[in-house]
Amino acid sequence: MPFTFSPPPCLLPPKLLGARTPFLSPSSYSSASPTPPRMGQPARASKLMEFPHLVAPHRNTMVGLISAVENRLGAHLLPSAVPSDVEYYQNESGTSQGTLSIRCGIDSSPIDFILASWLHLEQATGAFEITNIACYLNSSTDVPHFQFELVQCSPTYFILFLDLIPRKDIVLHPDYLKTFYEDTQLESCRQRLDRLPEVQPYFSSSLYFRRVVSPTGILVSIKCDDGRAERIEEIIREHVNPIANEVAGIWMDMCIAGGREVSELERAELEKRDSLIKRKAIDMDLSSSMPKQFGEEVAGRVLRVIRNAYKI
Amino acid sequence: MPFTFSPPPCLLPPKLLGARTPFLSPSSYSSASPTPPRMGQPARASKLMEFPHLVAPHRNTMVGLISAVENRLGAHLLPSAVPSDVEYYQNESGTSQGTLSIRCGIDSSPIDFILASWLHLEQATGAFEITNIACYLNSSTDVPHFQFELVQCSPTYFILFLDLIPRKDIVLHPDYLKTFYEDTQLESCRQRLDRLPEVQPYFSSSLYFRRVVSPTGILVSIKCDDGRAERIEEIIREHVNPIANEVAGIWMDMCIAGGREVSELERAELEKRDSLIKRKAIDMDLSSSMPKQFGEEVAGRVLRVIRNAYKI
């Protein structure tokens, strides 16, 4: 599936803002095993981001990243604001569930919005567990966007997408590559993970998406052919978790330091490029997969919010 | 080494044109084992492209590709024209040898130039054999460039780069992706090779080069860990050879069909982008590696021709 599997980030316009909650409810920070929302029951807001169904290292990685972002960039962000029927949604039978949580940047911030989502998708072959954090910047800066997505396809097969997504054509702008990718040593993060025998490059079926990923982007499968789920959990705990935190830390440093001066012409170019990436994400992925997973009514509701947010 | 290992393509300006020969001497087409030029002796022009030192499947793949291009696009091309001391060059001891052969496009052709080169580099760890065909187009068209490069690092370890190099930023131009990469089914070529257990994605040390490669670009290592050189030769004969011919065929179809109408503004953008790719290739690779391999005098001679040709 292009852009791996999850809904792309969504900028929620003010008119749709509903209940305001932080990404994490206080209980999310506890190590106690979370309880999934009961099927067919609307989930309570405080339970939204507790990531039921996830194995502990997956959950802890997601919770840790969100906490790090909130701690470091909290002053840049408005409280979370998503209508409750999009904040949590499920299909008619309750077998597939999704959450969407968004914190927009304040006016003076380079952050456009930061999104966190979790999806539990029941398939004939088993369940998929998808967690996603996407941090999009506005055109006041050319600092790359941040993306973390971890997909559990089975207990012994994960896909990881971890990247700082370029805002410019690197072939035409080698100085952009130097500033944000070479000088930051991002390649060492990719290489550390690449050395593990269970980790292999993953090729998205979308040729467009392959081009969105940066030269140091981590897009890999993590697979244990001998079926040892505990080895995969160890890799997530010992390798994915620290590397994701390191990449997020590099990105947050960039955000706080700010990028180069952006001219009016560059702003327009950044907006055009960002907009194309978002449009492709929706056209290629969500427009077909959301109705299949959640039914027309729920998918329509979520997609309306996303399209409105993306301004497309 | 960025851009794998060989000299990048070189457009030789008319003032430097010397002896005019086709890429292949008649004897190159025979299956008889070629004789390497004697060390310390200037090579005869007719021997230039006989690819001494190569194992047969490597040599046959190179010869077959050159023949295919000459047969199909010969009417577009001027005869080969490279000064004899750049057409063949070697280091002082004669242990490293190189050839460079270029056929420029006629005025009415979209082909800028087609280059074929062969390098034999003696290293402390053994010899590298590198063959390279690069077909660059001019700015009258936005059809991608063609690149084939096969590097023998050892009898059981090869690196292959086979690609149609994009001339535009695909993120901004999804129609470019559709026309030249999706509609042409290039991905199936990449996937067929990717299925072999001996084939692994290869990550260039140059982050810039990673970005030059297309989304269907084949940049792989071919390695036989149990040391069976005959298996590697079989892969080159049975897989690399037909896939390289298929990709070259797709590219030649594009050349003959011609691209879309290119406006004056687009021409300038294509020229700027092409120029940056060429400049990076020389700065990152040849400027340091050529003097090491061939000594200052020989490297200077070859680099002067290349820089002049690249107009940088």
Side-chain angles (χ1 to χ4, degrees):
Chain A
M1 221 184 287
F3 289 85
T4 61
F5 299 88
S6 75
C10 157
L11 170 63
L12 209 64
K15 66 177 177 178
L16 288 174
L17 298 185
R20 291 170 178 270
T21 55
F23 282 131
L24 294 173
S25 63
S27 62
S28 303
Y29 293 96
S30 89
S31 60
S33 180
T35 312
R38 275 174 292 166
M39 301 298 107
Q41 298 279 330
R44 284 175 297 153
S46 63
K47 287 284 183 192
L48 280 185
M49 298 303 285
E50 290 188 355
F51 318 120
H53 306 296
L54 300 186
V55 293
H58 187 170
R59 178 180 179 279
N60 292 344
T61 301
M62 181 70 174
V63 170
L65 278 173
I66 292 174
S67 304
V69 169
E70 296 215 317
N71 288 341
R72 189 91 186 274
L73 301 179
H76 286 255
L77 300 172
L78 295 168
S80 175
V82 175
S84 61
D85 59 354
V86 175
E87 202 171 35
Y88 173 83
Y89 54 94
Q90 60 183 26
N91 64 355
E92 205 173 350
S93 62
T95 50
S96 288
Q97 301 150 33
T99 70
L100 197 61
S101 185
I102 298 168
R103 294 187 68 176
C104 295
I106 58 175
D107 281 347
S108 60
S109 171
I111 294 169
D112 195 354
F113 59 89
I114 297 181
L115 170 151
S117 83
W118 158 71
L119 281 173
H120 168 78
L121 305 179
E122 283 287 347
Q123 307 277 299
T125 52
F128 282 76
E129 308 298 339
I130 304 164
T131 53
N132 176 34
I133 303 171
C135 307
Y136 272 60
L137 301 181
N138 60 36
S139 62
S140 70
T141 179
D142 61 0
V143 167
H145 305 306
F146 172 79
Q147 178 78 47
F148 165 83
E149 189 163 325
L150 188 56
V151 181
Q152 178 182 342
C153 308
S154 83
T156 56
Y157 180 32
F158 280 68
I159 296 167
L160 169 67
F161 176 41
L162 174 64
D163 197 16
L164 303 193
I165 295 174
R167 315 275 300 278
K168 291 189 175 183
D169 176 17
I170 282 172
V171 174
L172 263 184
H173 299 280
D175 55 320
Y176 190 86
L177 179 73
K178 182 172 187 310
T179 301
F180 295 120
Y181 298 90
E182 290 173 345
D183 292 352
T184 51
Q185 306 287 320
L186 275 165
E187 172 66 359
S188 70
C189 295
R190 192 197 66 76
Q191 286 185 2
R192 286 203 319 270
L193 206 58
D194 188 53
R195 281 189 208 112
L196 303 176
E198 295 88 353
V199 172
Q200 292 290 324
Y202 177 83
F203 287 83
S204 165
S205 61
S206 161
L207 302 185
Y208 187 85
F209 174 66
R210 290 185 199 171
R211 201 64 182 188
V212 168
V213 179
S214 84
T216 59
I218 296 173
L219 182 55
V220 294
S221 65
I222 307 166
K223 205 170 185 177
C224 211
D225 287 330
D226 60 6
R228 291 190 302 124
E230 67 276 16
R231 172 59 184 151
I232 299 292
E233 293 184 24
E234 180 182 290
I235 290 172
I236 294 170
R237 187 174 57 244
E238 304 293 334
H239 301 278
V240 172
N241 191 338
I243 289 171
N245 273 287
E246 192 171 333
V247 173
I250 291 169
W251 177 78
M252 289 188 283
D253 288 344
M254 291 175 182
C255 279
I256 289 168
R260 284 90 53 100
E261 197 70 33
V262 176
S263 70
E264 276 305 309
L265 177 64
E266 281 174 308
R267 281 189 79 128
E269 285 169 351
L270 290 168
E271 280 162 21
K272 186 177 173 193
R273 210 169 186 281
D274 286 348
S275 166
L276 272 159
I277 292 172
K278 290 171 183 168
R279 181 181 297 274
K280 271 283 179 184
I282 292 184
D283 288 351
M284 293 188 306
D285 191 5
L286 292 182
S287 298
S288 60
S289 67
M290 285 288 287
K292 279 184 203 153
Q293 290 295 337
F294 292 98
E296 293 292 344
E297 189 270 328
V298 174
R301 185 167 73 226
V302 177
L303 280 170
R304 263 193 305 280
V305 171
I306 292 173
R307 284 187 201 284
N308 203 331
Y310 275 35
K311 303 180 184 68
I312 58 174
Chain B
M1 219 184 288
F3 289 83
T4 62
F5 300 88
S6 76
C10 158
L11 170 62
L12 208 64
K15 66 178 175 178
L16 288 174
L17 297 186
R20 287 166 181 272
T21 55
F23 283 131
L24 295 173
S25 64
S27 64
S28 302
Y29 292 95
S30 89
S31 60
S33 178
T35 312
R38 275 174 293 163
M39 299 298 106
Q41 300 277 331
R44 284 174 298 152
S46 63
K47 288 285 185 193
L48 281 183
M49 298 302 283
E50 290 188 355
F51 318 122
H53 306 297
L54 300 185
V55 294
H58 188 170
R59 179 180 178 278
N60 293 344
T61 300
M62 182 69 174
V63 170
L65 278 173
I66 292 175
S67 304
V69 169
E70 296 215 320
N71 288 341
R72 190 92 187 272
L73 301 179
H76 286 256
L77 301 172
L78 294 168
S80 173
V82 175
S84 60
D85 60 354
V86 175
E87 201 171 34
Y88 174 80
Y89 53 93
Q90 61 182 24
N91 63 355
E92 204 173 354
S93 62
T95 50
S96 288
Q97 302 149 32
T99 70
L100 198 60
S101 184
I102 298 167
R103 294 187 67 177
C104 295
I106 59 174
D107 281 349
S108 60
S109 171
I111 295 170
D112 195 354
F113 61 87
I114 297 181
L115 171 151
S117 82
W118 159 71
L119 281 172
H120 169 76
L121 305 179
E122 283 287 348
Q123 306 275 299
T125 52
F128 281 76
E129 308 298 338
I130 304 163
T131 53
N132 176 36
I133 303 173
C135 307
Y136 272 61
L137 301 181
N138 60 38
S139 61
S140 70
T141 178
D142 60 0
V143 167
H145 306 305
F146 172 79
Q147 178 80 47
F148 166 83
E149 190 162 324
L150 189 55
V151 181
Q152 178 184 340
C153 307
S154 83
T156 57
Y157 180 31
F158 280 69
I159 296 166
L160 170 67
F161 175 41
L162 174 65
D163 196 17
L164 304 193
I165 295 174
R167 314 274 301 276
K168 290 189 176 185
D169 176 16
I170 282 172
V171 174
L172 263 183
H173 300 279
D175 56 321
Y176 190 86
L177 180 73
K178 183 172 187 309
T179 301
F180 295 120
Y181 298 91
E182 289 174 346
D183 292 351
T184 51
Q185 306 288 317
L186 275 166
E187 173 65 358
S188 69
C189 295
R190 194 198 65 77
Q191 286 186 1
R192 287 204 317 271
L193 205 59
D194 188 53
R195 281 189 207 113
L196 303 176
E198 295 88 353
V199 172
Q200 292 291 323
Y202 178 83
F203 287 84
S204 166
S205 61
S206 162
L207 302 185
Y208 187 85
F209 175 66
R210 289 185 199 170
R211 201 64 182 187
V212 168
V213 179
S214 84
T216 59
I218 296 172
L219 183 54
V220 294
S221 65
I222 307 167
K223 206 171 184 176
C224 210
D225 286 332
D226 59 8
R228 290 190 302 124
E230 67 276 16
R231 172 60 184 149
I232 298 293
E233 292 183 25
E234 181 183 291
I235 290 172
I236 294 170
R237 189 175 54 246
E238 305 293 332
H239 301 278
V240 172
N241 190 337
I243 289 171
N245 272 285
E246 191 172 334
V247 173
I250 290 169
W251 177 77
M252 288 188 283
D253 288 344
M254 292 175 181
C255 278
I256 288 167
R260 284 89 54 98
E261 198 71 32
V262 176
S263 70
E264 277 305 309
L265 178 64
E266 281 175 307
R267 283 188 77 128
E269 284 170 351
L270 290 169
E271 280 163 22
K272 185 178 174 191
R273 209 167 186 280
D274 287 347
S275 165
L276 272 160
I277 291 172
K278 290 171 182 169
R279 182 182 296 274
K280 270 282 180 185
I282 293 184
D283 288 352
M284 292 188 307
D285 191 3
L286 291 182
S287 298
S288 60
S289 65
M290 284 287 288
K292 279 184 203 152
Q293 290 295 336
F294 292 97
E296 293 292 345
E297 190 270 328
V298 174
R301 186 168 74 228
V302 177
L303 280 170
R304 264 192 305 280
V305 171
I306 292 172
R307 286 187 199 282
N308 203 329
Y310 276 34
K311 302 181 183 69
I312 59 174

